[in-house]
Amino acid sequence: MRVLTGLQPSGDLHIGNYFGAIKQMIEAQNSNEMFIFIANYHAMTSLQDGEKLKENSLKTAAAFLSLGIDPQKSVFWLQSDIKEVIELYWILSQFTPMGLLERAHSYKDKIAKGLSASHGLFSYPVLMAADILLFDARVVPVGKDQIQHVEIARDIALKVNNEWGEIFVLPQARIDEQVAVVVGTDGAKMSKSYQNTIDIFASQKLLKKQIASIVTDSTALNVPKDYKNCNVFKIIKLFLDEIEQKNLQARYQKGGEGYGHFKMYLNELVNDYFKEAREKYDEFLENPSHLKEILDFGAQKASKIAKEKMQKIYEKIGL
């Protein structure tokens, strides 16, 4: 089964990226045909600094690889290396009703959070549809906030297929209900845009600061605490199995420990869990030419598929 996913190089990867998407990618590599890309075109909706975008793209590539993405098992590339995606984006725009985009809640949410209302942000779902449909992806792992975008891609594919015949595979969104939305330090969805992240490859000083900033209530140290509504617990449980979670719940209910103790525990968990990945990450960044070779290798494989798909579309549209 062909599975496609991507992440924007909008900054250092955080644990929301990992538990919400990357962990599932790594696990799926042995049983699926994985297509994974760094969505640098998408990142332009919030980042117009060219040098920063290049830097972030390399850092994201290093992060993916250090966390376990295998370029021999998965097709792994930089989105901008496949120019056909922009061409298909324009073609798909002719089949995209304005009302479909006007109903997209992600656009409204981002505007409400202070992002500029640009055409790129508004038409973001069409570019995402091009990413998906160009490679005939059957499954697209997403967080809950991205389900609508996959549904939009499906709607567009249906319109094209009704006009031209069976050109596109109809994609299906897939989410892990347990970790689809990882809370940030303020209790909202963890996102770079909201400045509420816990970064995987942050320095020890910054990591400690980010964890210390997790919003909690004012329950006294010796009083039992409500783990169900605790932002610290919601993040910690991502690293624990069922028995370990129950043990932690008992500590909350017993009292005698403050939120500071649980934050220290989280800091230890993050460091232990990502220790090996952090070491590999530093090695990749010290050798950027090797990173480029890996991305080029993936782009060559992706390009072959993209060109074959576009040839079929050219025949239908008259180009």
Side-chain angles (χ1 to χ4, degrees):
M1 180 183 297
R2 184 169 292 177
V3 180
L4 179 140
T5 192
L7 282 177
Q8 289 191 32
S10 54
D12 294 327
L13 292 184
H14 52 74
I15 64 173
N17 298 139
Y18 179 78
F19 286 105
I22 300 174
K23 186 171 183 286
Q24 291 89 325
M25 296 182 212
I26 296 166
E27 293 170 349
Q29 289 180 119
N30 293 322
S31 57
N32 295 279
E33 189 181 10
M34 291 297 299
F35 279 54
I36 304 167
F37 65 95
I38 298 170
N40 56 342
Y41 279 141
H42 286 293
M44 292 174 67
T45 60
S46 57
L47 179 62
Q48 286 79 47
D49 184 327
E51 288 302 315
K52 189 66 175 176
L53 183 57
K54 286 181 181 179
E55 177 188 342
N56 285 353
S57 296
L58 281 179
K59 289 171 70 175
T60 301
F64 270 46
L65 294 166
S66 64
L67 288 167
I69 297 302
D70 186 341
Q72 298 298 328
K73 294 179 180 179
S74 298
V75 182
F76 179 56
W77 76 97
L78 188 65
Q79 184 186 29
S80 61
D81 284 341
I82 309 300
K83 304 303 181 185
E84 288 83 0
V85 72
I86 294 298
E87 189 173 6
L88 182 57
Y89 160 69
W90 176 249
I91 293 170
L92 295 181
S93 294
Q94 318 314 312
F95 292 86
T96 307
M98 286 293 292
L100 190 63
L101 297 181
E102 288 168 349
R103 292 192 294 273
H105 53 70
S106 178
Y107 172 76
K108 298 172 185 176
D109 291 344
K110 289 178 179 178
I111 295 303
K113 288 288 186 179
L115 292 181
S116 298
S118 66
H119 172 265
L121 192 62
F122 182 71
S123 63
Y124 182 107
V126 186
L127 181 55
M128 185 170 170
D131 292 322
I132 296 167
L133 301 179
L134 184 61
F135 295 101
D136 289 330
R138 293 192 177 277
V139 174
V140 184
V142 291
K144 289 180 179 179
D145 60 321
Q146 291 283 323
I147 292 174
Q148 187 186 38
H149 286 171
V150 181
E151 292 172 346
I152 289 173
R154 188 180 176 89
D155 288 344
I156 295 172
L158 281 168
K159 288 180 69 68
V160 175
N161 288 352
N162 287 336
E163 180 71 23
W164 291 343
E166 296 301 312
I167 294 291
F168 294 124
V169 169
L170 301 183
Q172 294 283 351
R174 184 175 70 194
I175 65 171
D176 185 329
E177 291 289 349
Q178 300 302 313
V179 297
V181 176
V182 176
V183 300
T185 56
D186 59 356
K189 179 197 171 188
M190 188 174 290
S191 170
K192 216 59 171 173
S193 301
Y194 306 157
Q195 298 182 337
N196 65 353
T197 63
I198 296 174
D199 297 335
I200 297 171
F201 302 104
S203 66
Q204 291 296 322
K205 182 178 180 180
L206 177 57
L207 180 64
K208 185 175 181 180
K209 180 179 179 181
Q210 290 175 334
I211 292 174
S213 72
I214 298 173
V215 175
T216 57
D217 60 35
S218 56
T219 305
L221 185 146
N222 62 321
V223 178
K225 294 165 183 64
D226 178 14
Y227 68 85
K228 292 181 180 179
N229 294 309
C230 176
N231 293 325
V232 184
F233 180 85
K234 290 176 182 177
I235 298 172
I236 287 179
K237 72 177 184 178
L238 298 169
F239 297 89
L240 306 180
D241 61 28
E242 187 175 346
I243 294 176
E244 291 169 331
Q245 286 186 39
K246 288 183 178 179
N247 290 337
L248 182 59
Q249 290 170 13
R251 288 171 59 185
Y252 267 77
Q253 294 169 328
K254 181 179 180 181
E257 292 184 272
Y259 291 115
H261 293 93
F262 298 124
K263 290 179 181 181
M264 289 172 58
Y265 179 40
L266 174 58
N267 191 79
E268 293 172 3
L269 288 172
V270 173
N271 275 309
D272 289 345
Y273 192 94
F274 293 112
K275 182 178 185 295
E276 184 177 349
R278 289 164 68 98
E279 293 172 353
K280 290 181 179 179
Y281 178 74
D282 291 338
E283 292 173 4
F284 274 119
L285 290 184
E286 290 172 0
N287 191 359
S289 61
H290 182 48
L291 275 176
K292 190 66 169 62
E293 289 174 2
I294 293 173
L295 291 170
D296 288 345
F297 174 69
Q300 289 173 14
K301 293 190 287 185
S303 179
K304 183 177 185 296
I305 296 169
K307 290 182 186 302
E308 290 174 354
K309 172 59 73 173
M310 289 306 298
Q311 190 58 48
K312 295 178 182 179
I313 295 170
Y314 294 151
E315 294 170 1
K316 294 292 184 180
I317 204 168
L319 295 178

